[in-house]
Amino acid sequence: MLGLLAVGSVALDSVKTPFGEVSEVLGGSATYFATAASYFTKVGVVAVVGEDFPREHMAFLKGHPIDLEGLMITKGRTFRWRGEYGYQLNEARTLETQLNVFQQFNPQLPSNYKTAQVVFLANIDPELQLEVLLQTRSPELVALDTMNFWIGGKRAALLKVLGKVHIVIINDGEARQLVQEVNLVKVAREILKFGPKVLIIKRGEYGALLFTREAIFSAPAYPLETVFDPTGAGDSFAGGFMGHLARTKDFSMDNLRQAVILGSVMASYCVEAFSLERFRTLRLDEIMERYRGFKRLTHFDEMPNAV
Ligand code: AMP
């Protein structure tokens, strides 16, 4: 049985950062998510690509424990995204989004996907997120990511899916846009009113915040000397986070905290190279070493005596 199911984009990205530029490289929210999650559990992908999708990219995906039965290849062009970043790497400026084959995509889940216990609705048209969710059989945990493109363009559909998920994972700018509020604590309170039990706000180089109605957990981003391309960091975070939860099937607050750190570890590796290049060589022992690095980075003792 499939441990983790994801729907999202599989894309060809063209990206410019202050450190370089790449054209039509492998990208997409489902691609980054599934690759990061595949270090922890087998993940099935529901998405579509066109006949122009390069064979080498398919080979990359097949090289990881990713189930591709739900990845359709249809006539037409693969989804394309073009974006750029300034020295402030936190926010991508979208220059072009071509939905292409996603415009007519009518996802049909393979039968063994329907019983997945953990589901991730990666950034894609909320109507597709909903269609996939409706084909699943009461999963134990459902999480969702989205972006400004859909918050502005498909708000009603997005609010409908938001009411059906347990966890929302979203970046700070988009969280503010969703509820038109600036202060992140107030933003969190408002988003939790839509129905989810947990909200994670990704803040790029400032780390991530996890909110429930009762508690807040804060994780820094790993201080890196080499950051080339932040594209996919959010999806890689979600992959590490959900991959750990799907593997352990423990949704307690303590385990959610560990999942946030593993998400941060995967995001930190993602940004070290363009596209998914870093995942070509990344090993599990490097992931665990950086996890320990996070522990050292954030650990401090109790005060022995009151001041
Ligand atoms: P992030 O983790 O937020 O940096 O996600 C980057 C990925 O999202 C890129 O690889 C893009 O291909 C993909 N992407 C960008 N815009 C959209 C969109 N409107 N819908 C789905 N995926 C998108």
Side-chain angles (χ1 to χ4, degrees), residues 243-260:
H244 177 67
L245 294 181
R247 188 180 71 81
T248 55
K249 297 192 178 63
D250 169 359
F251 311 139
S252 66
M253 187 64 187
D254 281 347
N255 208 43
L256 288 175
R257 286 169 174 248
Q258 285 189 355
V260 167

Side-chain angles (χ1 to χ4, degrees), residues 71-137:
L71 178 64
M72 281 179 62
I73 304 172
T74 63
K75 238 182 149 109
R77 279 163 63 78
T78 298
F79 177 101
R80 279 167 171 77
W81 177 76
R82 200 156 61 82
E84 67 177 17
Y85 300 82
Y87 281 100
Q88 170 54 281
L89 290 167
N90 269 5
E91 201 135 345
R93 200 156 73 86
T94 293
L95 302 173
E96 194 181 7
T97 305
Q98 291 180 24
L99 296 176
N100 297 337
V101 286
F102 269 102
Q103 258 163 326
Q104 284 90 38
F105 184 42
N106 178 17
Q108 296 298 326
L109 297 201
S111 58
N112 66 321
Y113 281 35
K114 293 183 181 168
T115 50
Q117 286 306 294
V118 180
V119 175
F120 185 62
L121 309 172
N123 177 28
I124 195 64
D125 187 333
E127 287 176 19
L128 287 179
Q129 294 179 321
L130 196 59
E131 268 181 58
V132 166
L133 191 55
L134 290 177
Q135 290 178 47
T136 61
R137 301 209 186 102

Side-chain angles (χ1 to χ4, degrees), residues 9 11 13 27-29 32 79 81 85 97 123-124 147 149-150 230-235:
S9 57
D13 286 350
S29 57
Y32 281 103
F79 177 101
W81 177 76
Y85 300 82
T97 305
N123 177 28
I124 195 64
M147 72 180 290
F149 189 85
W150 305 113
T231 309
D235 304 307

Side-chain angles (χ1 to χ4, degrees), residues 168-173 175-176 183-185 187-189 191 199-204 206-211 217 219 237:
V168 172
I169 304 175
I170 190 173
N171 80 27
D172 48 357
R176 290 181 167 117
N183 177 285
L184 286 183
V185 179
V187 165
R189 195 181 308 135
I191 293 181
L199 168 70
I200 294 176
I201 299 186
K202 299 170 286 182
R203 303 171 64 226
Y206 306 113
L209 289 167
L210 180 148
F211 294 89
F217 175 62
F237 173 95

